[in-house]
Amino acid sequence: MPDAARRLPRPCDVAWNKAATLILADYAKIPKGRRNILRMMFSDERVRAAQDDWRNVARYVVGAFGADAARAGAPG
């Protein structure tokens, strides 16, 4: 069976609006291949600092990624 994660359409890639740009980051300045909320949540100190409750937000982001992977057929 093919790797299910590879079938995901760029998992966790960021879509943004003006509010997100003001609060988190100017995503237009981030290279396309690095606009990934899962990666940013754990590697960008500004994104972490912008969260009132980082641990719960991080859990949510990881859970959403898991749900997307499951929908794409990844083994559970």
Side-chain angles (χ1 to χ4, degrees), residues 39-71:
R39 177 184 308 214
M40 293 171 68
M41 183 60 61
F42 292 96
S43 66
D44 188 323
E45 188 58 38
R46 265 189 351 199
V47 172
R48 288 179 70 152
Q51 311 307 314
D52 286 334
D53 186 356
W54 180 83
R55 286 186 190 273
N56 280 327
V57 174
R59 284 187 187 117
Y60 175 82
V61 169
V62 170
F65 175 76
D68 288 344
R71 280 191 293 276

